[in-house]
Amino acid sequence: MKHFIYIFLLSCFLFSCEDVIDVDLDTAPPRLVIDASLAWEKETFGNIQEIKLSLTAPYFNRTIPPASGAIVTVADTHDNVFVFNEEQQGYYRNYSFIPEIDGEYTLTVTYEGETYTAIETLKSVVPIDFVEQNNNGGFSGDSIELKAYYTDPEDEENYYLFEFGNEGDAPTLEVYDDEFNNGNQIFGFYMDEDLEKGDVLRIKISGVSQRCFEYVNILLQQTDEETGDPFETQPATVRGNCVNQTNQNNFPLGYFRLTETDVFHYTVQ
C-alpha cells in the first residue's frame, strides 16, 4: 500500500502539475517594415542593391509575411531614378545603382495605395587595419575576444556600425562614434564564448549618419539581454527615417540607410 501511494503521488507531481497559460496579447493592424540598407563595399561597383519589404505579424507567428506588389524607387540629386523590381516576394532589386560618397538619396515606396518616403546620405568609411585576438577574455578568462582596429579620420564627425558573424548567420551589431577618439586608431570589440580555432568570421565596418547611429543604438539598448529584468519598462516602438506621406498615423517600421563598407574575413587562431 505504501508503494502504491508513493507511485500515485509521484505520478501527480510529474504529470498533473502543469497549468496551461493562455496569453491574451493585443493585436494591431499590420504595418509595413522597410529594410533598405544599401551598402557600397570598397573595391566593388556597388551597382547591385536590394530592399526588403515585409509586414508586422502577431507575436506567436512563425513566419514573416512579405509585402509584395510594391513600387520601389531610389532617386539621387542628379535626376537618376533607380527602379527596384520585385524578383522574389518582398525582395526588390536593382542592378544599375550608382553610389556616391556624400550623395543624397530619396527612397519612395508605394504600397497598397499609400506612399512612404525617406531621405538619407551615403556615408564613407575607413578600412579595417587589422584584427587582434585575445584568448583569455570574459569574466572566466577562457573566452575569445576580437578587436578590429581602424583609424578614425581627423577633424571629421564620424559614426560607425560594426557587424560580426559567420557567413549566413544573423550578425552581432555594435555602433561607435568618434566623440572621444577623433583622429586616433580605435577598435570595434567582439566576444563570443562559443568561438573556436578555425572559425571564419566576417567583420564589416560601415559609415553611417548620426541619425542612423542613434536609431541602431536605441534598438541595441532595447534588446540587450544583460541589462534587462522582468520589471523594467517594456520597449517602445522605435521609428526610423521612413514617413508615410499618405497617412501619418500608419507609420512604417525600419530604416533607409546608405553606407560605404569594408569587409574583413578573419580566421580564429
Side-chain angles (χ1 to χ4, degrees), residues 19 41 43 71 85 100 114-115 120 124 137-138 191 227 233 248-249:
D19 293 328
E41 186 176 337
E43 300 181 0
I71 299 174
N85 296 308
E100 178 186 6
E114 297 185 349
T115 299
E120 184 61 290
S124 63
M191 183 182 70
T227 60
T233 303
Q248 292 188 0
N249 292 325

Side-chain angles (χ1 to χ4, degrees), residues 92-219:
Y92 300 79
R93 296 187 181 94
N94 178 273
Y95 295 87
S96 59
F97 185 74
I98 303 174
E100 178 186 6
I101 298 298
D102 293 328
E104 185 179 271
Y105 295 82
T106 301
L107 168 70
T108 303
V109 176
T110 302
Y111 180 71
E112 293 192 344
E114 297 185 349
T115 299
Y116 306 79
T117 63
I119 299 175
E120 184 61 290
T121 301
L122 196 158
K123 293 296 184 179
S124 63
V125 76
V126 295
I128 295 174
D129 298 329
F130 61 92
V131 175
E132 183 179 86
Q133 178 175 329
N134 174 24
N135 293 334
N136 302 310
F139 291 109
S140 59
D142 58 0
S143 296
I144 294 179
E145 295 178 347
L146 299 178
K147 295 180 180 180
Y149 284 85
Y150 60 99
T151 303
D152 179 76
E154 193 173 3
D155 299 326
E156 291 183 18
E157 190 174 280
N158 299 103
Y159 301 89
Y160 303 94
L161 171 64
F162 265 93
E163 301 174 50
F164 297 88
N166 298 314
E167 291 283 358
D169 295 338
T172 297
L173 306 181
E174 296 288 344
V175 287
Y176 301 91
D177 62 21
D178 64 352
E179 181 178 3
F180 303 108
N181 302 284
N182 188 43
N184 296 318
Q185 186 178 67
I186 48 181
F187 59 84
F189 179 80
Y190 178 68
M191 183 182 70
D192 188 345
E193 60 183 12
D194 295 325
L195 280 179
E196 297 179 354
K197 182 178 180 180
D199 287 348
V200 179
L201 289 183
R202 184 174 185 266
I203 305 173
K204 181 178 178 180
I205 182 175
S206 301
V208 297
S209 65
Q210 180 179 359
R211 182 174 179 179
C212 182
F213 165 85
E214 293 170 349
Y215 171 79
V216 177
N217 192 38
I218 293 174
L219 289 180

Side-chain angles (χ1 to χ4, degrees), residues 1-9:
M1 179 63 70
K2 291 183 178 179
H3 292 291
F4 175 80
I5 294 175
Y6 175 78
I7 294 174
F8 176 77
L9 292 176

Side-chain angles (χ1 to χ4, degrees), residues 7-44:
I7 294 174
F8 176 77
L9 292 176
L10 181 61
S11 299
C12 290
F13 179 78
L14 293 178
F15 303 108
S16 302
C17 297
E18 294 184 3
D19 293 328
V20 177
I21 300 176
D22 185 13
V23 181
D24 186 16
L25 299 178
D26 293 334
T27 59
R31 292 188 183 274
L32 182 64
V33 181
I34 300 174
D35 182 3
S37 299
L38 309 187
W40 179 17
E41 186 176 337
K42 287 181 178 292
E43 300 181 0
T44 71

